[in-house]
Amino acid sequence: MTPNTLGASQHDGQLNDASPNPENGVTSHDDEKYLQQAKDVSADGSRPKLDGHGLPLVPQPSHFKDDPLNWPSWLKWAVLIQVGTMAFLGPYNAALVNPSLVLLGKGVGVDSRIAAYSTTSTIVLGGVSPFLWTPLSNVYGRRPVTLLATFITILGGISSAISNNFSTLLGTRIMTGFGFGGMMSIGTSCVNDLFFLHERGAKTGIYSVLVTNGAHVALLVGGYLAEEKGWQWDYWLGALTTSASFIVALLLFPETLFSRDPKFLSGRTTERSYLKMLFSFRDNMIPGRTLHAGDFLQSLCMLKYPSIVFPFFYYMWAWTFINVMPAVSLATIYTDFYGLKSGAIGACLGVSLTTGSILGECFAGRASDYLMYRLAKRNNDVRVPEYRLYLCYLSAFFMPAGLVIFGCTVGRTGYVIPLIGLSVGVFGLQIASTCLYAYVSDCYKPQTPESGVLFNLSRGLSFFVGYFALPYADSAGFPAAWGTFAAVLVVFFIPIVALMIWGERWRHRLGEPAFHRHM
């Protein structure tokens, strides 16, 4: 297949008549509608396309080859790996220097705990900048926003590497966070642009495991690199890696934004070539869509829905205590208790967290899709988004257990057992990440970009743990402090249980958001 032609992909299963069905919702109400259309011939004599299990594809693809749902499999995977890699590079750029915070502090004349603010400031901007980037991507396209954000991230990394004082460094890290917030903001949007409902658990899992492990992989190399070459090279490496991603995106990241408005599709007569999807700015925009001031806060409107706000807070605390807290505190903890150097600290963090995360995703992604299918077969072939949440019971056990293991053993045993606690915790975090990402997308598919903004915000809000975790442990002791954090996770899991019981009823009662209905 040549790059300038796109063949329709072979969907998982039987394809009926190619006439498009313009609807694209993903709630159980819409599943019932598609199921009925699959059983009864529609007014124009056509039937919807089905997946490999004989259930209607959700959303239904159009008959246009440039519809991302119809792209060939290789191109879908190429874009998925790229947006996952871009999301990976956000935490990666933030965390490369974390094992070397002691070296960084000495280099810029501050204490290692103050040096950690260079990481937390990056996290904050990475969390709030999607409020700007996402509305831009909904109007001007995923591709131009991504390329601009990636370029800013590269500039931020280069500027950090040549900074000679802490104040300047903070400014350059803020620039970096602002840029990679844009890189991370388009990931879930692209996954939903490209894949059907029955595929999203596994595909979202691939994306989320890359998000989770960006910081972990950074820890494996950042410490040793700083020991050998100096802390500046942690920032140089981030800039170089992000530059490679930018070059690949120039050639292999076509525009995924596509309107499913029935009126637009009925009057559409042309298809974009591959080159146009890469370089035609005007052709890739949705006709008639304009940017409004209110769009930049539209994501906050989604917080009125329990299916968004409850996962938001559970994910925020999970990411805070399981992923960010070790990243900003272990350099100090393992230097004080075990006398390890930055390279060894990075290896300890990287190996333990990466192992737990990969094991979690090996279980969570396909299990989520399989569970959705099995329970749908019991429910008259109707998929209910809340089915995905049942796996979260495992996260509610493993994350608190990991915190308790770490808190009760650090400084009291060798350095290995606390690392096992980190692995156990991040195993649970990966299950929660995959299930929650897929759940909110299933509930409100057209508003996935806004839900993604909120998930980025929840990660950004985790910055504050750097200000209180170690002081609290100094005063109360690690068992009490880490035990308290475990209790917080259990408390915030209770609303997730409520969603499993009443979530579908709440969604029907509140209705669907009025914006982005045809994305």
Side-chain angles (χ1 to χ4, degrees):
M1 180 175 300
T2 58
N4 60 349
T5 59
L6 289 174
S9 62
Q10 294 297 315
H11 303 303
D12 294 331
Q14 174 186 358
L15 294 185
N16 294 322
D17 292 342
S19 301
N21 187 310
E23 303 294 341
N24 73 328
V26 295
T27 64
S28 59
H29 170 74
D30 293 311
D31 266 339
E32 292 167 356
K33 175 170 56 183
Y34 286 132
L35 180 63
Q36 187 61 38
Q37 289 174 333
K39 293 178 178 178
D40 301 323
V41 176
S42 60
D44 64 359
S46 66
R47 292 179 183 271
K49 300 174 183 178
L50 307 181
D51 66 19
H53 300 299
L55 300 179
L57 289 170
V58 182
Q60 286 286 295
S62 71
H63 64 279
F64 295 103
K65 293 181 180 180
D66 63 335
D67 179 348
L69 293 175
N70 293 325
W71 287 1
S73 180
W74 70 266
L75 185 55
K76 290 186 177 186
W77 274 99
V79 175
L80 173 63
I81 295 302
Q82 284 180 87
V83 297
T85 301
M86 291 170 189
F88 168 96
L89 288 172
Y92 174 86
N93 275 283
L96 272 166
V97 80
N98 284 349
S100 315
L101 288 175
V102 174
L103 292 176
L104 173 62
K106 291 178 180 178
V108 295
V110 298
D111 181 80
S112 63
R113 301 188 186 203
I114 301 299
Y117 298 165
S118 63
T119 295
T120 54
S121 63
T122 312
I123 294 171
V124 172
L125 265 293
V128 300
S129 64
F131 280 95
L132 172 65
W133 292 116
T134 294
L136 293 174
S137 75
N138 288 335
V139 174
Y140 300 111
R142 320 291 191 213
R143 175 179 168 83
V145 165
T146 301
L147 293 177
L148 176 60
T150 305
F151 184 70
I152 292 174
T153 304
I154 295 168
L155 291 181
I158 294 172
S159 301
S160 298
I162 61 177
S163 297
N164 54 15
N165 60 70
F166 189 63
S167 297
T168 303
L169 179 64
L170 277 181
T172 63
R173 298 317 291 158
I174 288 172
M175 179 194 296
T176 305
F178 177 76
F180 74 60
M183 294 170 62
M184 299 181 72
S185 67
I186 50 86
T188 52
S189 304
C190 290
V191 170
N192 283 277
D193 291 341
L194 291 165
F195 297 103
F196 299 100
L197 175 66
H198 72 282
E199 302 173 302
R200 283 192 211 132
K203 302 306 187 294
T204 301
I206 293 170
Y207 171 79
S208 66
V209 79
L210 287 166
V211 173
T212 304
N213 282 299
H216 307 165
V217 173
L219 299 171
L220 288 171
V221 298
Y224 287 115
L225 182 61
E227 277 188 16
E228 293 296 323
K229 299 292 185 179
W231 58 266
Q232 294 91 341
W233 267 96
D234 285 338
Y235 296 130
W236 281 118
L237 179 61
L240 290 170
T241 310
T242 308
S243 298
S245 175
F246 181 84
I247 293 171
V248 173
L250 283 175
L251 300 176
L252 284 174
F253 183 33
E255 182 57 60
T256 68
L257 188 65
F258 188 84
S259 174
R260 304 196 179 279
D261 184 349
K263 292 182 179 179
F264 169 74
L265 292 177
S266 64
R268 195 171 191 254
T269 58
T270 60
E271 295 177 342
R272 297 166 297 169
S273 67
Y274 185 84
L275 288 178
K276 280 191 173 183
M277 287 191 291
L278 285 178
F279 300 115
S280 179
F281 184 77
R282 183 176 297 276
D283 287 340
N284 288 333
M285 293 176 61
I286 294 178
R289 175 164 291 169
T290 56
L291 192 64
H292 304 282
D295 294 344
F296 295 103
L297 295 177
Q298 207 163 46
S299 299
L300 297 178
C301 298
M302 298 299 295
L303 291 175
K304 75 176 184 179
Y305 299 100
S307 297
I308 299 297
V309 70
F310 292 165
F312 171 85
F313 280 109
Y314 184 53
Y315 184 70
M316 181 189 77
W317 289 110
W319 186 268
T320 296
F321 293 135
I322 304 299
N323 207 55
V324 173
M325 188 166 67
V328 300
S329 64
L330 206 76
T332 300
I333 294 171
Y334 268 44
T335 298
D336 292 345
F337 282 136
Y338 302 112
L340 297 184
K341 295 183 178 180
S342 60
I345 292 171
C348 288
L349 263 175
V351 170
S352 59
L353 295 178
T354 303
T355 300
S357 179
I358 291 175
L359 290 176
E361 186 47 44
C362 286
F363 175 80
R366 291 192 176 275
S368 175
D369 284 339
Y370 180 75
L371 186 63
M372 175 73 81
Y373 162 68
R374 294 300 302 176
L375 294 177
K377 297 302 288 185
R378 293 186 187 177
N379 189 33
N380 196 30
D381 290 343
V382 176
R383 304 178 183 95
V384 178
E386 282 70 28
Y387 293 160
R388 293 202 190 272
L389 296 177
Y390 296 153
L391 284 181
C392 282
Y393 279 113
L394 295 176
S395 72
F397 171 77
F398 284 106
M399 289 193 295
L403 288 171
V404 170
I405 292 171
F406 184 91
C408 291
T409 59
V410 69
R412 291 173 168 80
T413 67
Y415 68 88
V416 174
I417 295 179
L419 298 179
I420 294 174
L422 295 184
S423 291
V424 170
V426 81
F427 178 87
L429 173 63
Q430 190 58 51
I431 293 173
S433 298
T434 297
C435 294
L436 295 178
Y437 266 113
Y439 171 68
V440 299
S441 296
D442 289 354
C443 289
Y444 304 106
K445 189 266 180 188
Q447 293 77 33
T448 296
E450 283 67 33
S451 301
V453 169
L454 294 175
F455 269 65
N456 277 304
L457 176 63
S458 68
R459 286 193 294 267
L461 292 175
S462 64
F463 78 94
F464 63 85
V465 74
Y467 296 98
F468 70 81
L470 289 179
Y472 182 32
D474 289 341
S475 62
F478 278 90
W482 264 240
T484 301
F485 303 150
V488 170
L489 289 181
V490 173
V491 169
F492 278 88
F493 179 69
I494 295 173
I496 302 299
V497 177
L499 283 179
M500 298 180 204
I501 301 171
W502 298 297
E504 183 181 12
R505 186 184 312 169
W506 291 339
R507 285 188 293 104
H508 284 298
R509 183 179 303 167
L510 291 171
E512 298 180 1
F515 57 93
H516 300 338
R517 284 190 178 274
H518 299 296
M519 285 180 59

